[in-house]
Amino acid sequence: MNPSHQSPWHRPAPPSTSSFLSFAAVPQSRRDFLWRSGGGLGGIALASLLGGEKLLAADPAPHSAFRVPHFPPRAKRVIQLFMGGAASHLDLFDYKPELLKRDGQKSDFGEHVEAFQDGLGPWMKPVWPFQPHGQSGKMLGETVAELGKVVDELAFVHNLVGKTGVHSQATYLQATGFQLPGFPGMGSWVSYGLGSVNENLPAFVVLPDHRGFASNGPKNWDSAFLPGQHAGTIIYPGQENPITDLFPGPAGGFVSPASEAAAHDVLARLNREHAATREGDARLDARIRSYELAARMQLAAPEAMDLSKEPDHLLNLYGIKKNPPAWPKEINAEEEMDYFGRKCLVARRLVERGVRFVQVWSGNDNGFPRRNWDSHEDIRRDHGPLSMGFARGAAALIQDLKQRGLLDDTIILWTTEFGRMPSSQGGKGRDHNPYCFTNWLCGGGIKGGVTCGESDQWGYKPQDRNHPTTVYDIHATILHQLGIDHTRLTFRSNGIDRRLTDVHGEVIPGLLG
Amino acid sequence: MKRISRALIGTSAGEKRARAGVVFPALTGLAVLLMSSNVGAAAAVDPARLPAAATAPVDFARDIRPLFESACVKCHGPEKAKNGFRLDTRAHALTGGDNGVDILPGASAKSPLVHYVARLVPDLEMPPKGKGEALTARQVGMLRAWIDQGAKWDREETSQPMKKSDWWSLLPLQRPAVPTPVNRKSQIANPIDSFIVARLDGKNLRPSPAADRRTLIRRVSFDLIGLPPKPDEIEAFVADQDAKAYEKLVDRLLASPRYGERWARHWLDVVHFGETHGYDKDQPRPNAWPYRDYVIRSFNEDKPYARFVQEQLAGDELFPGTRDGFEALGFIAAGPWDLIGHSEVPESKMDGKVARHLDRDDMVATTMQTFNSLTVQCAQCHNHKFDPITQEDYYSLQAVFAAVDRADQKYDADPKAGPKRKELTDRQTALTKRKKELDETILVRAGQTLVDLDKKITALSKAGKKGEAFGYHSSIEKLQNTAKWLQVDLGRSVSLGLIVLHPCSDDFNGIGEGFGFPVRFKVEVSDDAAFKNNVALAGDYTKEDFASPKLKALAVEAKGRAARYIRVTATKLAPRQNDYIFALAELNALATDGNNAALGAAVTALDSIEAPPRWRKLNLTDGWQPGASAADSGELAALRQERDQLVAKAVSAEDQKERAGIERDLAVVKTELEKLPLPSTAYVAAVHNGGGNFAGTGSKGGKPRPIYVLNRGSIQKPGKEVGPGTLGCLPGLPSRFELPPNHAEGERRAALAQWLTRNDNPLTWRSVVNRVWQYHFGRGLVETPNDFGRMGALPTHPELLDWLAVEFRDGGQSMKKLHRLIVTSATYRQSSASVAAFEKVDSENRHLWRANRRKLEAEAVRDAVLLVSGKLDPKMGGPGFRDFVIEKPEHSPHYEYHLHNPEDPRSHRRSIYRFIVRSQQQPFMTTLDCADPSMQVGRRNESQSPLQALAMLNNSLMLTMSKHFAAKLDKQDGDLPAKVRGAYYEAIGRALSPDEVSVLTRHAQQFGLTNVCRVLFNLNEFSFVD
């Protein structure tokens, strides 16, 4: 592919060393074209005829008998922050004085423990000091102290339990409610249940880690058996094509703004003639409308991702550098803040524009050097920059949403695959702990400044082993806030009325404000 | 139900109960009496507020029981019976509960049950809040109609709980009589039409007229071969006067190899075939494709269905030594596999056990859903909630697969090679055993001296082994005809006898032996390092392709010519998966005195990948190549001689003679083995002989792992151990396999395969004909092809389904025969045009009064685009093309689709040959609703979304093919309107109206033909087939 013949869409990709999100204004030619063609798309009366909600909701779901909302919703949208590789609760959020006391002593769990690798070394204290924050006096690790500014908005759950210490299965479980592939992501269920607010943008958007995908890749946000439009749409802000095939790539040098507008006219005309002689087939009309929506998405998506108009103080709040330097090779906090902050700011812009569910990832796969949370070797080395990065972005996001009045009906969920062991692996790292970990939530009617569910003195298992919290409970609670009874949002697939929470899940009353 | 207040009822619950008990035996007749006794409840409700009763006849099994089961029975059934009320048998239902009678047959408006579910009685809304969703008005209407029509239960059901095997799909298969609709002869081409028309008559519907020939050829072509007809084919068919023109067309399409490619894709959807593992570390399975080719071959050969089923489950056991019997086992291995759960965690750990449990679950679910359309996997934690499948049935199915794992396995694709290899290896084993016995005798007699001597020899042999030093490897090229050279400097002019080229062996992408050996090349010698002057050609292999020599060295005669430099120039490189290289293990320059003058000589080359120790220029002259096991040094020879003498003294002449004979025989066997074609590799399910955590059962002789019924599906709560077996719900069929105690594991799979293909397994035959029907009509006779259970749909034409099943089963189980029967029916050949009056009666066309307009699947769109652009490469079989570039392959490979060059001709093959990644699916195909290889897709979703429009408009393949299509048109004669007309005919198969011609011609004039081609690909008419 030789991009010698460049269409107006083709501007050089931003240099990868500087930033994945360009601040350069969109070149005049493209913007011109977009608005011109948007305005000039002949018979497309953008506002009225589309009924995007209807189009997107025209699901072939004969067996699903749900009607939503089931009760008045407290929240309208969700932002999920997902830490790939399994973030340590013990070094960030779940303060355990007992570990400070016993640091370095031979660990004794009082029972047989099956470690994933060799994680039964001596007890290991949190790598960073903890300090109390806010009115609630919640103890936070030093690297996430930024969250102290909003800690009274947060509700912590310290007694989450998983089912497996295998990354892939655990990621699936948290993302889809099942431990194997083939199930829709939570965002897909929300999209399916509530539809779209803004048909010009996908209802479920995913912002992957800029380095690549976490375990399972796009299967974590797949629509699986749900209709295809409910799949998470990957957005790479700042790239030439922020959504796959949003614009013609280098192979489309022959397409010009004028030819594009004319093509839409010809298509609409011939397609309508074709449909007119084939009455009674709604699919033909739906497909005609889908082309109109596509043209509108070409306008709406770049606009939603354009940070150039955001004020400096806000960029600073998010930890975004306007002119990012050439980042060093080693993982570092500044760079993590910049990348994660950008994703958080784009997330805000997306929910502001009606996107239902945004999933933001931190950390890619489990390769070396570590660029995710799987700190078997050295918590400080990986968790340090990663946690400082996400904490800055997340704290900014919460403040920004609050200031805009959006926090009231936007839920933020911080989650990960599982936790890490209170003992070391003999060195500076911690092994997998599927028996206990932390989530936190805020906004959207979630009660702030509380903790629902504690872990034991080590953070090894829930304090009350008979009443742990599961991912199903978290999912049930979030759906509840969205006005959905999790037992009633179903879709029949291969003989089973599937739901996000399988056959489990209880709404957590203590989380409800 | 909740307790009803006495005031509401007006009489005590106890009295009511007693009365209900009395009246029960003749209940319907006494309905009036009962009604009067319930006046209290009825009076509290205004009947006008009730949803109207449905007017259609109600079928209990279809309309009511599922409602009871999903909304009521959990609390009002054998397990809970809240308030004494049960809805699981007619007796219980009509008896009522603690509060009295709830159902008054014939009088729905007065039946308390109706009031409760209509939510008209405060505090008695059923199901209660939080226990389930309120019934819809339609459901209440159905319930009312059922009560009004007498509250009839299943046929013979009395007081027994629901007899679960009384379900349409489980009943024995019988050939129904073909109906004979009156006065409809002209609309009946074969018995299918008789069934369809008889039903239409009953609904006052009429079949539609036949579609015209242009429509028909496009429809049947896409249907049978997945490609549009070419313009000349359309013309020929339209002009064909033969009364059998259509039948001829169908036969031609069925005979085309394209047919197998089309229908294999459907099959691969169902079995969720993929070529990476899925999960984390989504590594490629480079050897999964033989199964895909097996399926294509089986369809093209029209293999009888029973054989097709048996091969896929137990081909190794039932048809040993056959290629199909082995490659078919890719069926069991088709689904996802958790690499980390298998290879980083041993079976002894919980996480390891969970991974293996999930793995077997996938095998069981795939098998039973594919062949029997049942969802047995629902019985993993408890007995199936809706179908008569017990938890024990489920785990006995897991026991069938308890010995196998998914992995690469070697096999002989050549049917003759297998038995020969076995014979030779058996002989090798026997000879080696005898040799070992003799050696032990020798050792005893020769004593410690021999032991010491052997130690020395072993050490020395090992020192000479350099298995890691593969050889020389050039840079990688995109074009095969790139010339590359390498050159050896002998240091001085040497009189050369033979120049020997030794090929490499590397397991990259299964190329194996002969890796990188050039396809065309020449060997030259000279005293000029630059090879400008006095160059002599020693060997010329540039004229024709040189077949891969595998490990056989090539000796080139140098005829005593004296030269200091030897140069090998490759003019056509060796192919790898997606690129080209030149590699050699070793070059010997045997001087006329017999010495290798190249040993340790300096090597130069045009380019080289220096990746020591495996690849570097130095390796070319290091004295080692694959197959050279020991350094042939003088010291080693001396030691061997010493050893021989020692042995000669120690043992009898007789023993020595026998041993020498064995050595000779072993050498012969080895040579014979080497003559056999190399074994192939396929990713299948079989007894795995692995190391580390992923050991498989090979080391235990393939002994199946013990399988327990898991309490609530938890690995941590194993219950009773179970043996191999299957479902117990088919009348007359055994559910447990009685195998001898020491049976081979394959016998378990064979038993299941035979059980599935029994003539009296009704599910198997109903399932397959339903699938075939679905792919022809867009919807099966049963709408849920993977679920014939109670949560699935009921057949719209049960008699036709059974007739087809019997016809197929007893008529040779030929797929092609079944296709022919279906597509030559008048029903199939109808027009797809709508009729307003009929839409009102049957808007979904369930009764098939017209043809269904079909949207092309992702593969058909892509293949059609390639075909009309003139770029479709018809090459069949072999490894799939990769329309992505893998980055960071070492951990979780990143499959980068946007880095693929759409101009790469290797990717212009049919979509069935696409290498299918599980985690990162191909974005274009996925957006067009192609099957997700992580799920068993019995029927694809069909959506129209803006992202789909964007993909069709902007995907680089679409843009690239628009250019090729336009370039093809440019080469044709005629003016612009003629080209536009031609383009339309190619792409869509019909002539344009003058108006359409002018619209498109104007577009072409303004923006060029390429833009017109892009528009054509995006028309609804391109994606929908009438």
Side-chain angles (χ1 to χ4, degrees):
Chain A
M1 285 191 297
N2 182 358
S4 58
H5 184 166
Q6 297 216 326
S7 79
W9 293 288
H10 299 131
R11 59 207 158 88
S16 56
T17 47
S18 65
S19 162
F20 83 119
L21 210 160
S22 169
F23 277 94
V26 179
Q28 202 55 41
S29 58
R30 182 171 83 167
R31 173 155 296 175
D32 270 3
F33 157 64
L34 291 172
W35 291 109
R36 234 175 338 108
S37 61
L41 282 178
I44 306 175
L46 294 182
S48 60
L49 66 81
L50 295 164
E53 186 108 12
K54 215 169 158 195
L55 169 66
L56 292 169
D59 292 338
H63 304 294
S64 103
F66 76 90
R67 283 163 304 193
V68 287
H70 299 129
F71 29 75
R74 288 291 310 268
K76 290 183 182 148
R77 54 196 93 80
V78 182
I79 299 173
Q80 182 185 27
L81 311 176
F82 202 117
M83 309 295 119
S88 168
H89 52 305
L90 298 164
D91 301 294
L92 307 179
F93 301 120
D94 198 3
Y95 179 58
K96 293 294 155 196
E98 199 63 26
L99 289 178
L100 286 167
K101 227 187 291 172
R102 310 267 176 144
D103 182 47
Q105 294 178 16
K106 186 176 183 295
S107 62
D108 177 9
F109 293 82
E111 63 185 23
H112 169 73
V113 180
E114 198 176 275
F116 183 77
Q117 290 182 353
D118 47 3
L120 305 178
W123 296 123
M124 183 164 113
K125 69 179 182 187
V127 172
W128 295 284
F130 274 63
Q131 292 284 333
H133 291 269
Q135 301 253 308
S136 55
K138 173 71 188 174
M139 298 290 280
L140 294 177
E142 192 175 55
T143 57
V144 294
E146 272 291 315
L147 285 166
K149 294 176 184 166
V150 292
V151 76
D152 291 333
E153 305 285 348
L154 309 188
F156 286 89
V157 184
H158 287 311
N159 66 345
L160 258 291
V161 293
K163 290 187 168 182
T164 160
V166 178
H167 287 294
S168 48
Q169 293 177 37
T171 306
Y172 275 132
L173 185 64
Q174 298 303 315
T176 71
F178 290 81
Q179 173 175 13
L180 60 168
F183 294 88
M186 176 169 37
S188 302
W189 280 108
V190 171
S191 164
Y192 167 65
L194 298 179
S196 180
V197 183
N198 177 355
E199 68 272 21
N200 298 344
L201 291 169
F204 175 19
V205 168
V206 180
L207 297 160
D209 190 276
H210 50 284
R211 291 163 282 230
F213 298 132
S215 288
N216 315 323
K219 296 305 294 171
N220 294 320
W221 52 82
D222 203 55
S223 61
F225 43 76
L226 294 177
Q229 66 265 34
H230 301 298
T233 298
I234 303 172
I235 287 192
Y236 288 111
Q239 286 197 2
E240 179 119 359
N241 251 338
I243 295 177
T244 303
D245 294 334
L246 185 62
F247 300 109
F254 60 91
V255 183
S256 68
S259 80
E260 184 73 346
H264 274 278
D265 283 343
V266 172
L267 275 173
R269 174 170 175 185
L270 295 182
N271 280 341
R272 283 202 202 107
E273 283 169 11
H274 173 260
T277 55
R278 289 162 176 80
E279 271 177 43
D281 194 338
R283 299 172 302 170
L284 301 178
D285 299 323
R287 194 165 184 277
I288 293 171
R289 286 202 301 277
S290 75
Y291 275 73
E292 294 159 359
L293 282 177
R296 296 172 63 189
M297 199 176 280
Q298 290 181 325
L299 298 173
E303 192 279 329
M305 283 167 252
D306 180 7
L307 303 191
S308 61
K309 298 273 154 44
E310 294 288 347
D312 286 358
H313 71 88
L314 205 68
L315 298 175
N316 189 43
L317 183 70
Y318 279 89
I320 302 170
K321 294 225 180 333
K322 202 156 186 185
N323 297 300
W327 299 112
K329 235 176 123 185
E330 289 69 40
I331 189 166
N332 64 89
E334 295 278 292
E335 183 181 3
E336 294 304 314
M337 278 181 208
D338 188 73
Y339 277 114
F340 201 83
R342 282 165 198 274
K343 280 176 263 189
C344 285
L345 182 49
V346 169
R348 189 217 81 206
R349 292 180 62 89
L350 289 169
V351 296
E352 222 172 16
R353 283 158 180 76
V355 171
R356 280 279 183 207
F357 198 106
V358 182
Q359 193 176 49
V360 183
W361 289 82
S362 163
N364 68 332
D365 61 59
N366 300 312
F368 291 97
R370 294 283 181 205
R371 288 294 183 266
N372 77 355
W373 297 81
D374 196 21
S375 295
H376 285 282
E377 308 83 13
D378 190 340
I379 292 276
R380 183 181 293 276
R381 182 192 64 198
D382 326 314
H383 270 54
L386 285 169
S387 59
M388 288 172 81
F390 101 75
R392 177 74 172 265
L397 176 63
I398 294 166
Q399 294 169 76
D400 195 8
L401 288 172
K402 187 168 185 186
Q403 178 253 320
R404 281 161 204 266
L406 283 168
L407 191 61
D408 288 343
D409 53 8
T410 306
I411 300 175
I412 298 175
L413 165 67
W414 182 93
T415 189
T416 185
E417 296 165 20
F418 36 70
R420 308 207 76 92
M421 289 301 257
S423 47
S424 78
Q425 285 191 252
K428 294 183 271 183
R430 300 186 192 271
D431 202 349
H432 301 176
N433 181 2
Y435 315 111
C436 191
F437 61 108
T438 292
N439 274 185
W440 58 255
L441 300 90
C442 84
I446 298 290
K447 193 192 280 178
V450 301
T451 294
C452 297
E454 300 279 5
S455 61
D456 64 15
Q457 59 181 334
W458 310 113
Y460 156 59
K461 279 193 176 176
Q463 191 171 54
D464 179 353
R465 292 189 180 190
N466 294 324
H467 297 93
T469 304
T470 62
V471 66
Y472 311 114
D473 304 331
I474 299 288
H475 285 171
T477 305
I478 289 176
L479 290 185
H480 178 269
Q481 293 304 86
L482 293 167
I484 299 171
D485 174 350
H486 69 102
T487 65
R488 288 158 69 190
L489 181 65
T490 62
F491 190 93
R492 187 167 296 177
S493 163
N494 284 341
I496 304 167
D497 283 335
R498 289 293 186 188
R499 49 185 240 224
L500 173 61
T501 50
D502 198 355
V503 295
H504 312 286
E506 300 280 348
V507 174
I508 307 168
L511 286 178
L512 309 183
Chain B
M1 298 204 174
K2 288 186 184 171
R3 184 155 296 276
I4 291 178
S5 77
R6 282 194 63 172
L8 186 67
I9 295 176
T11 167
S12 86
E15 288 167 28
K16 196 70 62 57
R17 200 163 161 68
R19 203 176 303 153
V22 172
V23 298
F24 165 66
L27 206 134
T28 30
L30 290 175
V32 178
L33 173 71
L34 281 163
M35 276 158 59
S36 63
S37 75
N38 250 304
V39 163
V45 167
D46 174 6
R49 292 173 61 206
L50 287 173
T55 47
V58 176
D59 181 299
F60 175 75
R62 184 188 62 207
D63 305 319
I64 303 300
R65 176 147 64 193
L67 189 65
F68 285 171
E69 286 183 348
S70 62
C72 315
V73 171
K74 209 157 92 185
C75 298
H76 298 288
E79 280 164 31
K80 282 191 184 154
K82 285 207 172 168
N83 240 28
F85 183 58
R86 286 171 59 169
L87 261 171
D88 56 324
T89 72
R90 185 171 200 255
H92 283 113
L94 297 186
T95 304
D98 297 347
N99 300 325
V101 172
D102 296 292
I103 296 171
L104 304 169
S108 69
K110 296 186 177 173
S111 294
L113 179 69
V114 174
H115 304 159
Y116 304 149
V117 298
R119 304 183 106 72
L120 295 180
V121 185
D123 294 331
L124 277 166
E125 294 93 351
M126 289 292 143
K129 278 212 173 98
K131 294 289 165 95
E133 193 175 349
L135 268 50
T136 62
R138 195 181 154 273
Q139 288 171 321
V140 176
M142 293 296 271
L143 184 66
R144 287 194 61 185
W146 172 70
I147 293 174
D148 290 339
Q149 288 161 25
K152 290 182 195 122
W153 215 268
D154 277 5
R155 278 161 281 179
E156 76 281 24
E157 196 144 40
T158 52
S159 63
Q160 288 301 307
M162 289 175 190
K163 198 176 145 208
K164 287 190 156 185
S165 59
D166 182 12
W167 184 247
W168 71 267
S169 64
L170 307 175
L171 297 175
L173 207 46
Q174 276 157 358
R175 179 191 284 267
V178 178
T180 46
V182 198
N183 294 330
R184 293 273 178 269
K185 236 184 185 154
S186 64
Q187 285 146 352
I188 289 169
N190 68 33
I192 288 174
D193 303 321
S194 302
F195 285 101
I196 297 291
V197 170
R199 171 66 64 81
L200 291 176
D201 277 351
K203 302 277 170 193
N204 282 323
L205 298 166
R206 294 279 169 279
S208 293
D212 64 66
R213 281 197 173 182
R214 281 177 210 283
T215 303
L216 207 50
I217 186 174
R218 191 168 170 83
R219 180 190 297 170
V220 75
S221 292
F222 271 118
D223 235 17
L224 290 178
I225 65 167
L227 294 168
K230 297 195 175 124
D232 55 336
E233 292 167 348
I234 301 174
E235 286 313 308
F237 177 57
V238 169
D240 194 341
Q241 299 296 317
D242 190 336
K244 293 272 173 204
Y246 181 68
E247 285 74 8
K248 280 192 315 192
L249 169 66
V250 168
D251 285 341
R252 172 171 70 75
L253 293 170
L254 285 172
S256 160
R258 306 283 85 85
Y259 156 76
E261 293 172 333
R262 163 73 169 172
W263 282 76
R265 188 51 257 173
H266 295 320
W267 189 258
L268 298 182
D269 277 15
V270 177
V271 307
H272 63 350
F273 172 77
E275 295 179 85
T276 67
H277 293 320
Y279 292 91
D280 191 10
K281 291 200 188 179
D282 189 22
Q283 296 288 342
R285 294 177 181 171
N287 300 307
W289 60 267
Y291 173 69
R292 176 248 287 144
D293 280 0
Y294 156 82
V295 176
I296 295 173
R297 202 163 58 237
S298 296
F299 274 103
N300 277 335
E301 288 172 0
D302 202 16
K303 183 175 284 170
Y305 187 66
R307 171 97 184 205
F308 186 53
V309 176
Q310 289 171 0
E311 283 174 346
Q312 293 180 74
L313 281 168
D316 55 338
E317 183 73 20
L318 294 171
F319 312 101
T322 64
R323 176 185 179 189
D324 281 8
F326 193 87
E327 292 177 351
L329 298 175
F331 162 80
I332 306 173
W337 184 74
D338 186 357
L339 178 112
I340 295 187
H342 281 83
S343 69
E344 291 189 9
V345 194
E347 287 197 59
S348 55
K349 281 193 178 180
M350 279 305 158
D351 283 341
K353 285 194 175 77
V354 169
R356 283 153 183 90
H357 167 79
L358 289 177
D359 203 48
R360 283 189 298 272
D361 177 59
D362 178 77
M363 295 177 183
V364 168
T366 307
T367 301
M368 298 311 282
Q369 235 166 243
T370 300
F371 299 120
N372 270 351
S373 299
L374 283 182
T375 56
V376 294
Q377 64 273 26
C378 297
Q380 197 181 129
C381 306
H382 44 69
N383 292 344
H384 199 292
K385 281 200 172 156
F386 303 101
D387 298 327
I389 300 165
T390 67
Q391 210 187 349
E392 205 176 310
D393 287 349
Y394 169 81
Y395 284 99
S396 58
L397 277 161
Q398 274 215 1
V400 171
F401 300 98
V404 297
D405 282 286
R406 305 167 207 247
D408 275 339
Q409 305 282 338
K410 294 234 183 274
Y411 68 107
D412 280 300
D414 177 350
K416 277 179 241 134
K420 183 79 185 160
R421 191 185 307 280
K422 187 170 184 313
E423 181 200 314
L424 288 169
T425 45
D426 284 353
R427 184 154 165 70
Q428 202 173 34
T429 312
L431 286 167
T432 310
K433 190 174 165 229
R434 177 64 191 142
K435 190 176 139 192
K436 202 176 157 212
E437 285 166 10
L438 284 170
D439 283 350
E440 274 159 16
T441 321
I442 291 166
L443 192 64
V444 170
R445 293 200 194 143
Q448 189 59 36
T449 325
L450 184 61
V451 175
D452 294 343
L453 211 48
D454 277 344
K455 264 190 201 155
K456 274 190 208 164
I457 291 171
T458 312
L460 208 57
S461 308
K462 266 193 189 152
K465 211 168 190 173
K466 292 197 223 154
E468 283 296 292
F470 286 0
Y472 156 84
H473 192 309
S474 76
S475 294
I476 295 159
E477 295 298 330
K478 285 281 161 202
L479 296 172
Q480 191 168 21
N481 291 328
T482 313
K484 300 221 175 246
W485 56 265
L486 60 79
Q487 186 169 318
V488 175
D489 178 3
L490 304 178
R492 62 192 165 86
S493 208
V494 176
S495 175
L496 292 164
L498 284 178
I499 299 166
V500 186
L501 307 182
H502 293 275
C504 297
S505 176
D506 185 3
D507 50 10
F508 181 86
N509 271 328
I511 300 172
E513 301 176 337
F515 177 82
F517 200 85
V519 177
R520 294 189 185 198
F521 59 99
K522 59 185 174 182
V523 182
E524 296 163 310
V525 299
S526 174
D527 277 328
D528 174 14
F531 278 76
K532 293 234 165 72
N533 305 310
N534 297 323
V535 178
L537 188 63
D540 185 4
Y541 302 87
T542 59
K543 301 289 183 283
E544 56 185 70
D545 288 359
F546 192 84
S548 170
K550 305 292 178 191
L551 278 190
K552 198 161 168 271
L554 172 71
V556 179
E557 298 261 7
K559 303 193 177 105
R561 212 184 306 267
R564 174 174 168 175
Y565 302 99
I566 301 168
R567 180 182 277 216
V568 183
T569 307
T571 56
K572 186 175 180 185
L573 301 174
R576 297 199 314 168
Q577 192 85 23
N578 287 310
D579 41 39
Y580 304 95
I581 55 149
F582 170 26
L584 269 188
E586 185 75 11
L587 185 147
N588 304 148
L590 298 182
T592 37
D593 61 8
N595 281 321
N596 175 15
L599 196 63
V603 180
T604 50
L606 176 69
D607 54 38
S608 164
I609 289 180
E610 292 292 302
R614 291 156 66 94
W615 300 107
R616 57 184 154 188
K617 292 195 290 273
L618 273 181
N619 289 348
L620 192 69
T621 53
D622 66 350
W624 183 89
Q625 68 271 351
S629 59
D632 213 1
S633 71
E635 193 189 353
L636 197 55
L639 285 171
R640 287 211 170 109
Q641 199 177 2
E642 196 182 327
R643 187 184 194 280
D644 290 347
Q645 287 162 356
L646 180 69
V647 169
K649 272 186 244 158
V651 291
S652 69
E654 203 175 305
D655 279 358
Q656 275 201 58
K657 197 177 158 204
E658 187 188 353
R659 198 178 177 289
I662 290 174
E663 292 272 20
R664 255 196 324 275
D665 289 352
L666 275 173
V668 171
V669 168
K670 187 163 172 273
T671 320
E672 290 288 304
L673 276 170
E674 278 164 4
K675 275 193 218 153
L676 290 175
L678 288 169
S680 308
T681 306
Y683 190 83
V684 294
V687 169
H688 175 60
N689 250 313
N693 292 325
F694 183 37
T697 58
S699 60
K700 291 175 183 153
K703 187 168 180 283
R705 302 162 172 108
I707 298 296
Y708 306 95
V709 175
L710 300 181
N711 189 10
R712 302 203 65 78
S714 167
I715 281 290
Q716 286 163 349
K717 296 175 192 156
K720 173 186 171 190
E721 184 172 348
V722 290
T726 180
L727 310 179
C729 57
L730 290 179
L733 269 73
S735 65
R736 298 294 177 268
F737 305 142
E738 303 300 335
L739 298 170
N742 282 323
H743 61 271
E745 73 83 21
E747 292 178 55
R748 296 182 170 199
R749 290 179 286 112
L752 179 60
Q754 274 152 347
W755 183 89
L756 285 167
T757 49
R758 284 168 66 123
N759 264 358
D760 56 359
N761 182 328
L763 289 163
T764 304
W765 310 106
R766 286 186 178 119
S767 171
V768 62
V769 297
N770 185 59
R771 289 190 195 282
V772 173
W773 184 276
Q774 173 192 282
Y775 295 121
H776 282 298
F777 287 94
R779 181 171 51 222
L781 293 166
V782 184
E783 204 176 341
T784 51
N786 282 353
D787 185 14
F788 283 8
R790 283 194 167 83
M791 293 294 272
L794 290 167
T796 51
H797 297 75
E799 302 82 11
L800 173 55
L801 179 71
D802 281 9
W803 185 85
L804 285 170
V806 174
E807 184 74 10
F808 176 72
R809 182 193 68 190
D810 299 346
Q813 301 166 15
S814 156
M815 289 279 186
K816 290 192 179 181
K817 220 166 135 184
L818 181 61
H819 294 305
R820 204 174 283 119
L821 187 68
I822 290 173
V823 302
T824 58
S825 71
T827 304
Y828 178 85
R829 293 155 75 169
Q830 294 177 99
S831 157
S832 62
S834 181
V835 177
F838 298 165
E839 288 284 352
K840 285 193 193 115
V841 183
D842 179 19
S843 64
E844 290 185 59
N845 191 30
R846 287 182 183 276
H847 299 298
L848 291 169
W849 49 269
R850 59 168 165 80
N852 287 318
R853 184 169 300 111
R854 305 281 300 283
K855 189 178 181 211
L856 294 182
E857 307 89 342
E859 288 83 356
V861 168
R862 186 183 169 281
D863 293 354
V865 165
L866 286 167
L867 181 76
V868 302
S869 305
K871 286 283 159 190
L872 185 68
D873 175 0
K875 178 176 181 282
M876 291 185 77
F881 66 86
R882 300 181 174 201
D883 53 1
F884 50 80
V885 170
I886 293 185
E887 289 192 331
K888 307 195 177 167
E890 54 292 332
H891 190 273
S892 295
H894 296 199
Y895 297 93
E896 307 291 8
Y897 292 94
H898 67 283
L899 297 180
H900 169 74
N901 179 0
E903 293 282 10
D904 184 348
R906 282 168 300 177
S907 64
H908 295 165
R909 301 175 64 191
R910 289 199 73 177
S911 305
I912 180 99
Y913 300 115
R914 184 170 64 85
F915 188 95
I916 298 169
V917 177
R918 239 181 268 269
S919 65
Q920 268 165 275
Q921 296 182 72
Q922 214 268 23
F924 178 69
M925 302 296 277
T926 302
T927 305
L928 296 186
D929 296 321
C930 91
D932 175 350
S934 295
M935 304 188 304
Q936 281 200 264
V937 178
R939 190 182 175 199
R940 292 189 181 185
N941 281 333
E942 187 185 296
S943 65
Q944 340 286 336
S945 72
L947 292 172
Q948 214 172 76
L950 290 169
M952 291 293 283
L953 284 166
N954 298 332
N955 183 267
S956 60
L957 183 80
M958 300 297 289
L959 296 166
T960 302
M961 288 306 136
S962 299
K963 288 192 267 193
H964 287 299
F965 188 13
K968 187 174 117 178
L969 296 166
D970 266 336
K971 285 190 204 121
Q972 293 167 5
D973 296 332
D975 57 6
L976 203 52
K979 285 181 181 175
V980 164
R981 277 194 296 269
Y984 210 90
Y985 210 104
E986 290 254 6
I988 291 167
R990 74 166 171 92
L992 283 171
S993 72
D995 196 30
E996 290 167 328
V997 175
S998 74
V999 168
L1000 288 167
T1001 305
R1002 197 159 54 242
H1003 197 66
Q1005 279 159 348
Q1006 281 182 293
F1007 306 109
L1009 268 176
T1010 311
N1011 273 299
V1012 169
C1013 293
R1014 178 167 174 252
V1015 165
L1016 296 188
F1017 288 152
N1018 278 278
L1019 285 170
N1020 276 358
E1021 203 175 0
F1022 184 80
S1023 283
F1024 285 91
V1025 176
D1026 285 328

